[in-house]
Amino acid sequence: MTERDDECELGYWLGQPFWGRGYMPEAASELLRHGFEDLGMTTIWCGYFDGNQKSKRVQEKLGFVFHHTCNEVPVPLLNEIRVGHTNVMTKDCWEKLYK
Ligand SMILES: CC(C)(COP(=O)(O)OP(=O)(O)OC[C@H]1O[C@@H](n2cnc3c(N)ncnc32)[C@H](O)[C@@H]1OP(=O)(O)O)[C@@H](O)C(=O)NCCC(=O)NCCS
């Protein structure tokens, strides 16, 4: 999602038995803190494929803001083309939400 040294991408995966307990929003909020405070990031990107409502919801709860949609994202491992939505959080936005 970015090639800049002061920006990064957040991705996550949780074993199915542990879904729905709020673990990922809690864990990811700490990763946002780590990215902005410890690693000096200015912007953190995050995305999900169209239809992944659980992941969309995680990003909404974290405070990510919609940036753009790409209608043709190749997924070579599945031999598919998917629609991908990309969200963003700037450090300013993070400070307003979390500080
Ligand atoms: C996306 C994922 C990380 C969510 O983690 P989580 O710890 O379950 O997140 P939450 O508990 O906050 O749940 C997120 C939302 O999904 C819903 N949800 C969780 N488990 C669900 C289930 N089994 N069925 C339907 N909805 C479910 C919750 O209701 C919640 O929304 P709400 O807060 O409005 O009620 C987890 O589902 C996952 O690892 N999925 C597979 C990998 C993946 O898709 N990763 C993201 C790639 S972009």
Side-chain angles (χ1 to χ4, degrees), residues 12 46-48 55-64 87:
Y12 42 76
C46 199
Y48 62 94
S55 186
K56 177 184 184 189
R57 187 72 189 115
V58 168
Q59 291 169 45
E60 284 172 352
K61 290 196 283 187
L62 287 166
F64 276 91
N87 293 326

Side-chain angles (χ1 to χ4, degrees), residues 15-85:
Q16 198 163 349
F18 306 102
W19 291 3
R21 301 181 192 181
Y23 288 160
M24 195 50 71
E26 182 178 345
S29 67
E30 170 57 16
L31 287 172
L32 291 175
R33 188 210 62 74
H34 178 59
F36 288 123
E37 287 195 336
D38 302 337
L39 303 180
M41 295 292 124
T42 59
T43 299
I44 298 179
W45 299 88
C46 199
Y48 62 94
F49 289 126
D50 200 56
N52 191 343
Q53 292 299 318
K54 292 188 281 292
S55 186
K56 177 184 184 189
R57 187 72 189 115
V58 168
Q59 291 169 45
E60 284 172 352
K61 290 196 283 187
L62 287 166
F64 276 91
V65 173
F66 175 76
H67 189 271
H68 68 271
T69 291
C70 183
N71 285 320
E72 294 190 359
V73 183
V75 188
L77 287 173
L78 295 173
N79 199 26
E80 286 179 6
I81 305 288
R82 291 190 177 184
V83 175
H85 304 289

